[in-house]
Amino acid sequence: MAETKRYDAIVIGGGHNGLVNAAYLAKAGLSVLLLEQRPMVGGATVSEEIYPGFKFTVFSYVVSLLRPEIIRELELPRHGLAILPLESTITPLPGGDYIYRGTDPHETFRNIQRFSPRDAEAYREYGHAMYQMAKAVKYILSIRPPDPTSLHPRELMALLKLGKHFLNLDEQHMYTLAKLMTMSSADFLEEWFEFDPLVATLSASGIIGTFLGPRSPGSAYVLLHHYMGEIDGVFRAWGFAKGGTGGVAEAIASSAQELGVEIRTNAKVAKVATRNGRATGVVLENGDEFEAKQVVSSLDPKLTFLKLLDPKELPSDLVGSISKFETQGSSGKVNLALDALPDLACLPGEGVHLKGAISISPSVAYIERAYDQAKYGQFSEKPYIDIIIPSMIDPQMAPPGKHVMSCFVQYAPYHLRESDWEDQREAFGDAVVNTLSEYIPNLKNIILNRQVLSPWDIEQKIGLSGGNIFQGELSLSQLFFLRPSPGYAQYRTPIRGYYQCGSGTHPGGGITGAPGRLAAFEVLKDARK
Amino acid sequence: MTDFDFIVIGGGHNGLTAAAWLAKAGRRVLVLEKRATLGGVAATEELVPGFHFNIGAPDARLLSPAVLDGLDLKKHGLEFIESEIAAFAPQADGRGLTLWNGAEKNASEISRFSKDDQAWKEYSRQTSRFAGVLAKMACLRPPTIKNNPLGLMLAWGRLALQVRALGGRDMMQFMRVLPMSGYQYLNEHFETEALKGLLSVPGVTGSTQGPRASGTGFMLFYQQMGAARQVSGGVGQVSAALAKAAQARGAQVRTSIGVKRILSERGRGIGVELDSGEQISAKAVLSNADPRTTFMDLLGAPQLEPRIVRRLRGLKLRGSTATVHLALSGLPDFPAAGGDQARLTGDIVICPSLDYAEKAFDDAKHGRISAYPILIARIPSLLDPRLAPTGQHTMSIIFRYAPYKLAESNWDAERERLGDLAVETMAKYAPNLKSLILNRRVITPLDYEREYGLAEGSEMHGQMGLDQLLLQRPVPGFVGYRSPVDGLYLCGAGAHPGGGVTGLPGLNAAKQALKEIR
């Protein structure tokens, strides 16, 4: 017997944006049901014990972008959120040397100075400049994108306000901003630095999660995007959530539940029910039905529009543009359970450098070659890898003396040209381990268990179309009032009472929570009408 | 009293346009050209006795009506030969894809390959609308980031209204596709690789970027601003007509005179010093040289603020075009044209797919000459027999990518190898080509720099990438034809709207200079 129950609002998907959205709706007094297909909430923001005793940060692995107002307003620290700082980034170099960038600016300065005194100076200025830039752009993260085609006074005012914000910037900053919006990350960084491996390792932030190389125009924006994080008010510091990124989701879920959100897991939504162009509720795959005045989807745009709805209910323009929305994933994940601590060839033994990130990005050409393979439908045999060892930061992630290692790998294109991921998954895992072994000689001997996730696997496991970790490429044509589609960037859809709140909407991907929060305000605006 | 009101350095088509416009306003103008021939790389030269070649630019399809009519160029001898054919792309399987100029035939031609004929109609509608907006944009001086004069703000405001008038749907599309890559834009429309490969070529013109680079969509529209037409007597006739127009109004045009440096005093450009040591004074100087040559070599870095010098150093020139000129004893036979000579009167393009283009770029990115290059060939003597002896032909093959900076070799060593590669590649589609070659001249990016003064061989005076357009062209901080030195203007392709034989940088710069120099 199928059950039917009525709510003010239903949120589809329990990723961090869905959770944030639900919490804000409940906070405003709505009765809210959140439905998650998996046994646990979190979406890509989860920690799972894949191998007994070892907790993997299965998908996303670092936190920085989570909006401070959300941490504050949802009282997340009280609900268990604790962010542990990542100490440093070490970039091993082919000759056995390394670049070390840590929390102590003097130490970083001395380290870079060994390669280029000019770059060591520039590094300070660069950090400052990016801080200024991120501050200038931060405003955009907190507003609903205006609709430039509308002549409604509200939209014109919003445009004017936006224009004013930018005109108030210093001229130099405006030029730097224009560059960041249009350049490639390597070109941008080469205006600052001369030491190629430094350019390479910094440019990596410009390619993470995108189908771009460090020399592709547009990647400088992604660089900036990754600079917009704050931890406890400290700009651009990256951290690791206690308990893994799952700790973030659990804290938001706990806050949401306290505010009255009902969370149901193992509840996969099949369809959004509509009547006369209005959403009336949802139907689960098991046939259960729930009614609500408002339905919010935190799934990616393709699922939100084309799967949960019958495309016939939508304007053909929108169906066209959502079909064209670029969601091809480019990155994979390799999680390792280790019997002992990995030993870096360039800096053997235990040390503070293992409490930060290890970046395999020895030269710009290296990353470009990795990208070249991906362009033609192969995974990179020598990929860019961003590694952290969560158990060094939070010992509870692994049994005493043992470790977990989280490796973010690029490039792994969703579409393989001459094979498929079920066939290539382990070969990809081998390529990663082989590449890592060049820098970590003891690695192969200490692997107890290995989890390899291709974009295809990410799609299978958590539903992200194309396995794209940002729910859609962060390219200029898919940002701000164009995200996910021109005319539908204000979290609404053509179906009244049906909203979107995932990373596929402004301001995009990363654990920001911003889409979830901004969407909640739009839902509440309509609810009050 | 100065010797002249204006001195124009460089007699390329933009320098001559500026000179003619200034002379038309009654000003005393002197043009100084280093070479013996006017036109810069938009010149036609007899490289082989009896054979006249278009050195760089193959045609003047983008020449702005504002220049053509505003300077009465037809009266001064400029004639066009209209070509029905826009492009012909022979394929490895023996078929050929032909595109006509604005013709209905294209849809049915495309239907021979796939069902893309329907998409073609929407594509050509959209691209021509967007190109129309760009054409208007090209005639406006770009705004600076701050403190724009009211008149300029109004002009751009009017343009914004025109963009809005495209209608909500097209307006949003316009904003969406402008920063897009040609790769994505074409994939959104078409399935046929042959078609996508062919259409991607204009998008990568003038930059060392592959079709996947965002912003190459912009170039695709930019190149659509005009229709293919050949200049009678060769593209150099554009410059000849411009020179006549300038001289008819009293401007002096001197060739074979090199400028050693731009003279400035207290932050003001006041004249030039020639290679001979002679100094000539003027109220203002317009430079048709590229921005790097103009500011770093002719003016000199010490005259500039370090901040500006840093920006100039960041200017991405990155030329990657070489041209292979062939004197032919007869017409090459392209079996894919099925014996229809007319199909060879437009661009003959070798770029069978988007991946082919991207792979060609991959080589350049790593400092190598493309092993499988994109070729864009013209046989101008087909429509204009005077360019070659009777029954014989000139063929100019533009070769992409030929990066200026080679990682493991140098251009003097690679010049003829590139020539061989171009011929071998083209001969796959025209088997009798090799047997027809009487003579061959290869112009590499290094030659374009040495002989024609293009820094790094960049025919656009700076890559036409997203980060070097509009209010970032040539570099942030001195857009709008002005420079850090008062009375020194940039009037070449390094200024907005950029490269191609448009005449617009010259025209816009002259207008700006007239406003400011009394």
Side-chain angles (χ1 to χ4, degrees), chain A residues 125 147-151 156 159 166-172 174-175 178-179 181-184 187 190-191 211-212 215-218 317 321 324 326 365 368-369 371-372 374-376 417 475-478 481-482 486-487, chain B residues 144-147 164 167-169 171-173 175-177 179-181 183-184 188-189 209 212-215 307 310-311 314-316 318 355-362 365-366 463 466-468 471-472 476-479:
Chain A
E125 282 175 52
D147 178 357
T149 59
S150 164
L151 290 171
L156 292 177
L159 271 176
F166 282 104
L167 285 175
N168 282 336
L169 291 180
D170 168 44
E171 193 174 338
Q172 291 308 309
M174 286 173 78
Y175 285 126
K179 283 184 173 198
M181 296 305 291
T182 50
M183 284 177 87
S184 78
D187 281 340
E190 278 171 355
E191 292 192 0
F211 211 99
L212 297 173
R215 294 229 180 265
S216 308
D317 263 10
S321 72
K324 289 171 190 165
E326 293 262 309
E368 275 294 334
R369 278 194 295 268
Y371 173 53
D372 287 349
K375 287 195 289 193
Y376 311 110
R417 198 162 284 184
S475 56
L476 284 182
S477 35
Q478 298 195 164
F481 52 73
L482 300 168
Chain B
T144 51
I145 251 166
K146 280 197 162 173
N147 307 326
R164 207 178 256 272
R169 185 172 159 264
M171 173 193 173
M172 280 297 214
Q173 282 302 321
M175 289 189 277
R176 191 173 84 89
V177 304
M180 216 180 239
S181 70
Y183 181 90
Q184 192 186 349
E188 282 190 359
H189 284 89
Q209 295 188 317
R212 281 177 184 262
S214 35
R307 190 165 52 95
R310 212 166 38 231
R311 283 191 200 150
L315 177 71
K316 285 176 278 298
R318 299 186 184 170
D355 274 359
Y356 182 95
E358 187 69 27
K359 281 181 180 152
F361 161 67
D362 287 347
K365 182 172 75 177
H366 296 293
Q463 178 162 285
L466 211 48
D467 57 334
Q468 296 192 153
L471 73 180
Q472 299 194 87
F478 49 105
V479 292

Side-chain angles (χ1 to χ4, degrees), chain B residues 4-148:
Chain B
F4 288 89
D5 290 334
F6 295 99
I7 295 173
V8 178
I9 305 172
H13 80 280
N14 276 313
L16 293 167
T17 301
W21 197 264
L22 293 168
K24 192 180 163 188
R27 305 301 183 95
R28 297 171 304 143
V29 185
L30 170 67
V31 181
L32 298 169
E33 167 57 45
K34 191 189 253 171
R35 303 186 71 238
T37 316
L38 290 171
V41 282
T44 304
E45 292 180 46
E46 195 174 348
L47 295 177
V48 176
F51 293 85
H52 302 264
F53 292 94
N54 294 327
I55 292 301
D59 65 21
R61 75 173 74 193
L62 298 179
L63 189 67
S64 166
V67 175
L68 183 64
D69 303 333
L71 295 172
D72 293 324
L73 295 186
K74 290 200 168 150
K75 216 176 77 192
H76 292 286
L78 183 62
E79 278 176 50
F80 290 106
I81 305 171
E82 301 295 331
S83 161
E84 273 202 318
I85 304 290
F88 166 69
Q91 305 294 317
D93 65 5
R95 292 195 289 179
L97 172 63
T98 308
L99 292 180
W100 283 263
N101 276 318
E104 287 296 307
K105 283 187 222 172
N106 289 333
S108 67
E109 170 77 0
I110 290 164
S111 69
R112 294 199 303 122
F113 285 78
S114 71
K115 286 183 193 143
D116 279 342
D117 50 322
Q118 283 308 313
W120 171 262
K121 286 177 188 160
E122 170 59 14
Y123 174 85
S124 35
R125 183 197 71 84
Q126 201 179 65
T127 50
S128 69
R129 282 199 96 185
F130 293 171
V133 177
L134 288 196
K136 292 196 176 102
M137 215 185 268
C139 294
L140 291 180
R141 181 187 138 201
T144 51
I145 251 166
K146 280 197 162 173
N147 307 326
N148 287 298

